[in-house]
């Protein structure tokens, strides 16, 4: 059991991360609301929310390799990073729904069915839902090993998100390519995790508790 003061600091750090995490959305919302986004403001806002969703997804999946390979333990922030990714995807989706498509349901459904990059984005949002709903201590206890299995969907979502981004741009420039490479590296790391960690720390090996794997 940790002392109460250490638990309080830990909680404060996590709330600080949530507060900082929502700054880009709040800042760009303010820019948009005050007419300060040049060019196509809706597209820009959509872009910012999508990019931050992807960044938080990548950060969530980077927690395990950072701990294994660099000894930096950010495990206590992983849930907040994952939930920030989820809320950015929801905001990105709402921007598309309300500002981009003006809640025109027929156009939205046609878009989801006909434009593969939108279909992939939508699939990622649907897959993120059970992850967000089970990202609490009660679900981890209730689902046991199945919790880990379910949360492997995060690998599909990060790859899907990076592919969705690359497909949404007319020309694949360095930025979407970099996100694709990072997503692929973070997913490909998982099957090699045990071997890499054993080679780096032969004596300590890997101590993976159920909620820490992945
Ligand atoms: C994990 C889920 C998702 C992630 C990580 C994500 C991320 C991104 C990113 C990074 C972009 C590139 C923005 C740009 O450069 O312009 C983008 C574009 C876009 N996304 Fe998503 N997205 C996701 C889900 C969705 C969903 C559910 C929808 C709507 C059904 C959607 C609709 C769009 C649209 C319409 C664009 C293109 C905007 C344009 O025309 O420039 N995305 N997304």
């Amino acid at each position: 059991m940790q002392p109460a003061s250490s638990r309080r600091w830990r909680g404060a750090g996590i709330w600080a991360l949530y507060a900082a995490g929502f700054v880009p959305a709040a800042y760009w919302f303010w820019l948009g609301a005050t007419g300060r986004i040049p060019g196509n403001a809706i597209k820009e806002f959509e872009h910012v929310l999508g990019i931050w969703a992807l960044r938080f997804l990548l950060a969530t999946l980077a927690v395990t390799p950072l701990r294994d390979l660099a000894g930096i333990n950010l495990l206590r922030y992983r849930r907040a990073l994952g939930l920030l990714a989820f809320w950015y995807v929801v905001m990105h989706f709402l921007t598309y729904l309300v500002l981009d498509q003006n809640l025109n349901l027929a156009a939205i459904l046609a878009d989801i069915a006909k434009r593969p990059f939108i279909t992939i984005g939508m699939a990622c949002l649907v897959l993120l839902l059970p992850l967000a709903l089970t990202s609490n201590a009660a679900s981890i206890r209730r689902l046991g090993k199945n919790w880990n299995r379910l949360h492997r969907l995060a690998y599909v979502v990060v790859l899907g998100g990076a592919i969705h981004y690359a497909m949404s741009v007319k020309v694949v420039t360095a930025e979407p390519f970099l996100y694709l490479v990072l997503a692929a590296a973070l997913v490909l790391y998982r099957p090699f995790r045990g071997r890499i960690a054993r080679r780096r720390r032969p004596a300590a090996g890997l101590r993976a508790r159920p909620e820490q794997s992945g």
Side-chain angles (χ1 to χ4, degrees):
M1 190 81 170
Q2 285 178 315
S5 61
S6 143
R7 277 204 308 274
R8 255 199 306 277
W9 276 115
R10 200 182 126 133
I14 291 167
W15 284 111
L17 173 61
Y18 277 119
F22 282 114
V23 166
Y27 175 65
W28 279 85
F29 183 80
W30 173 75
L31 285 184
T34 52
R36 283 166 218 225
I37 303 180
N40 188 336
I42 294 173
K43 287 284 168 213
E44 273 303 312
F45 192 51
E46 212 169 35
H47 168 84
V48 167
L49 296 173
I51 282 289
W52 278 97
L54 204 45
R55 286 176 186 162
F56 282 121
L57 276 173
L58 291 170
T60 310
L61 290 192
V63 168
T64 296
L66 265 180
R67 192 181 55 143
D68 290 350
L69 305 176
I72 300 168
N73 190 348
L74 300 175
L75 207 60
R76 60 189 170 283
Y77 299 110
R78 191 167 65 178
R79 184 185 306 177
L81 289 169
L83 283 173
L84 280 165
F86 171 72
W87 286 114
Y88 268 89
V89 174
V90 169
M91 290 188 282
H92 176 70
F93 178 58
L94 287 177
T95 306
Y96 165 78
L97 224 60
V98 181
L99 301 178
D100 197 347
Q101 299 291 324
N102 291 315
L103 287 175
N104 180 344
L105 205 66
I108 292 163
L109 291 176
D111 234 11
I112 294 173
K114 286 195 192 131
R115 295 168 80 192
F117 90 92
I118 305 257
T119 318
I120 294 174
M122 198 61 219
C124 290
L125 172 58
V126 170
L127 292 179
L128 271 175
L129 273 174
L131 303 189
L133 289 173
T134 56
S135 68
N136 52 70
S139 296
I140 293 172
R141 270 196 306 277
R142 194 159 34 83
L143 293 173
K145 280 210 164 94
N146 286 331
W147 188 90
N148 271 334
R149 286 195 196 115
L150 177 68
H151 280 250
R152 283 190 200 131
L153 283 178
Y155 309 146
V156 180
V157 173
V158 78
L159 283 175
I163 292 170
H164 163 83
Y165 176 21
M167 287 172 77
S168 82
V169 293
K170 307 241 168 358
V171 184
V172 181
T173 51
E175 203 185 354
F177 183 70
L178 179 70
Y179 282 95
L180 264 175
V181 170
L182 285 174
L186 288 170
V187 173
L188 282 173
Y189 170 72
R190 266 58 192 187
F192 297 104
R193 189 185 164 201
R195 219 176 303 163
I196 294 170
R198 264 195 304 278
R199 200 169 292 169
R200 289 179 60 87
R201 289 180 292 149
L206 246 195
R207 272 168 275 126
R209 284 194 276 142
E211 76 277 17
Q212 291 182 329
S213 69

